[in-house]
Amino acid sequence: MSDLGRVLRLDARRTALLVAVPVLTAVGTAAALPGLCLSAAYWDNTVVALVNAVRFLGPVAAALAAWAAVRERPLDYLRDLTARSPATGALLDLLLLSSAALVSYTAVTALVVAVTLAQAEAGHPHPLGVIAGAGALVLHVVVGYLTGRVVPHRATAALAFGATAMWAALRIPGVSWWSLLPPAAFPRIDLFTTLRPRVFADQAAWTAGLTAALILGYVLWATRRFLLVLPLAAALAATGAATLGLQGSDPAAVRAAPAPQACRHWPVTVCVHPALRDALPRLMAAVVPLAARLNGTPGEFTQVRQRPGWAPVSVADGVAFVHLDEDLSPGYAARAARQISRALKDPRACAAGSSAGYPALVDAWLLDDEPPSIADARAARRFASWTERGRRAWLRRHFTRYRTCSLGPADFRPVRAGKHRSTKHARRGTFDRTAPPT
């Protein structure tokens, strides 16, 4: 009983290893938070930041586990004095070390989730992704500890850290299926796409199978109980099946995911991805003047909608489709307005012809920019002297030539009052309820 008490006290003192919790928490936080600061509050990117953090957290956990195994190996003779299985002490150590790593992982997860909730979050959480990350972390602990048990040398901890760090460094996001093996590396997830849950399920199965195989293999080696061969084979089979599943996956591990957009409806309708709803006020302020000036022309629009990055920018049927920076970098609203201005023109006609800068003169007015210097200074002065109402009336008459970049000096000459009568019947829209001046 005295020997058994000594062993139990030894196991209790191992709780000092919980000092690793703040170390692992600090490493995981430092690895996860920068990824969140570079993107919108999109739940997919939250999970990606957490899973990617395991690539940095795992090697540290493996080194600590290997150090604990090497440090306690000389005391194994005390455990041999009891009637317990030779593998019991190692299993208890693994349980303690894994629990410490999971506590730190839970703390990092809570912090990352809090950061996301503090913003205008969008999308849906992926619990399987969190589970896959936890499984990969436990796998690192098992690899490090068993390495320390098999090779009880002072340099083993550094060896475990270097080997697992090299394994993590091989992860290049989106290049091949190899990067999906835990600890996986995912690229930043664009808005209007989402991660495939099947990938996380395969990763969780892969880590669970390999972890079980390593533990069963060690117990088999320590106890010589060959009945463990069958569960060991089953664990290896599960790992192989999960590997095949990951091999057949798209390296990007994403699919298109249409999202119900966040909108403002007056004086025009502006809609963006819900993760970028904070962009609505500035975007509205930037596009309303442009919509007012285009009213009554073939390029008029009453709606502005954000499109995914792979879809083209266009203006059609009263709807302007634009792209937005996901980090809402300074000037994003002005860039969206310029996208609309460029989309109004025929790219083939503008590429083929020489417009001598006349469309740029009109663009500057549409976008409230400084007028450019063009060769025809007389046309520039004449256009600058017109009133806002006069410019709108002029654009309704000359929109086709503006669209095809075929404006010329004759289009900026004074027009007799009688010729303005044709504009009386121009379509009246939301922003201009009066006929153009004569």
Side-chain angles (χ1 to χ4, degrees):
M1 292 298 295
S2 176
D3 291 335
L4 177 59
R6 293 176 63 187
V7 173
L8 293 177
R9 287 194 299 272
L10 175 64
D11 288 338
R13 286 199 302 271
R14 291 172 186 270
T15 56
L17 288 175
L18 291 178
V19 72
V21 172
V23 174
L24 295 177
T25 303
V27 172
T29 301
L33 288 184
L36 294 179
C37 298
L38 296 176
S39 61
Y42 193 33
W43 278 110
D44 289 72
N45 283 321
T46 298
V47 176
V48 166
L50 191 60
V51 172
N52 284 343
V54 177
R55 290 191 294 151
F56 301 90
L57 192 58
V60 178
L64 290 173
W67 171 78
V70 172
R71 180 173 177 268
E72 303 297 341
R73 183 63 184 268
L75 301 178
D76 282 349
Y77 74 94
L78 292 176
R79 284 173 169 161
D80 293 338
L81 297 176
T82 68
R84 295 190 298 181
S85 168
T88 302
L91 294 178
L92 288 175
D93 287 344
L94 280 176
L95 179 61
L96 178 60
L97 292 167
S98 298
S99 299
L102 290 177
V103 167
S104 67
Y105 182 78
T106 301
V108 175
T109 302
L111 182 59
V112 168
V113 169
V115 170
T116 304
L117 289 175
Q119 305 177 65
E121 82 279 359
H124 304 282
H126 293 272
L128 273 177
V130 178
I131 294 173
L137 183 59
V138 172
L139 176 60
H140 280 82
V141 171
V142 171
V143 168
Y145 181 81
L146 295 183
T147 302
R149 297 289 296 182
V150 175
V151 187
H153 193 274
R154 292 181 180 179
T156 302
L159 176 64
F161 178 84
T164 52
M166 286 288 292
W167 173 254
L170 294 175
R171 305 287 173 268
I172 302 177
V175 173
S176 70
W177 70 272
W178 185 263
S179 64
L180 298 179
L181 291 176
F186 293 103
R188 185 173 58 86
I189 307 302
D190 296 329
L191 301 181
F192 301 103
T193 62
T194 188
L195 292 162
R196 296 181 183 272
R198 172 66 183 275
V199 174
F200 289 131
D202 288 334
Q203 288 176 345
W206 193 88
T207 54
L210 187 55
T211 301
L214 290 173
I215 294 175
L216 289 171
Y218 175 78
V219 173
L220 177 63
W221 173 74
T223 64
R224 300 298 190 271
R225 293 184 179 180
F226 294 100
L227 290 177
L228 296 175
V229 171
L230 291 179
L232 175 60
L236 291 175
T239 304
T243 302
L244 293 177
L246 292 173
Q247 186 176 8
S249 301
D250 181 0
V254 298
R255 59 180 175 84
Q261 296 189 326
C263 299
R264 284 196 176 187
H265 297 284
W266 191 87
V268 297
T269 298
V270 180
C271 298
V272 298
H273 191 280
L276 301 181
R277 59 174 64 93
D278 292 341
L280 286 172
R282 290 187 179 181
L283 190 59
M284 178 75 77
V287 301
V288 165
L290 179 58
R293 288 163 180 166
L294 290 171
N295 182 55
T297 71
E300 69 175 354
F301 62 89
T302 56
Q303 297 183 48
V304 178
R305 294 186 177 274
Q306 181 189 1
R307 262 188 175 173
W310 63 83
V313 172
S314 63
V315 179
D317 299 324
V319 182
F321 296 99
V322 299
H323 298 156
L324 283 182
D325 305 331
E326 293 185 15
D327 58 351
L328 298 183
S329 56
Y332 65 88
R335 286 192 291 273
R338 289 190 180 90
Q339 291 173 22
I340 298 174
S341 174
R342 288 194 295 267
L344 294 173
K345 302 183 185 66
D346 184 344
R348 293 183 180 179
C350 291
S354 175
S355 56
Y358 295 113
L361 189 65
V362 181
D363 288 339
W365 163 62
L366 290 175
L367 300 172
D368 283 327
D369 289 340
E370 289 293 327
S373 298
I374 62 174
D376 192 346
R378 180 177 297 180
R381 288 194 301 269
R382 187 172 292 124
F383 187 75
S385 68
W386 294 343
T387 63
E388 178 73 15
R389 187 178 179 184
R391 292 178 186 177
R392 295 186 189 183
W394 176 89
L395 183 61
R396 293 189 186 105
R397 295 192 304 272
H398 296 85
F399 185 83
T400 300
R401 294 180 65 81
Y402 164 71
R403 180 178 180 273
T404 57
C405 297
S406 57
L407 291 170
D411 296 308
F412 293 86
R413 291 174 183 172
V415 181
R416 294 181 181 178
K419 293 187 179 181
H420 280 244
R421 295 177 183 174
S422 61
T423 65
K424 269 190 177 182
H425 303 289
R427 185 153 53 116
R428 298 177 182 179
T430 304
F431 302 96
D432 190 359
R433 297 295 183 182
T434 61
T438 58

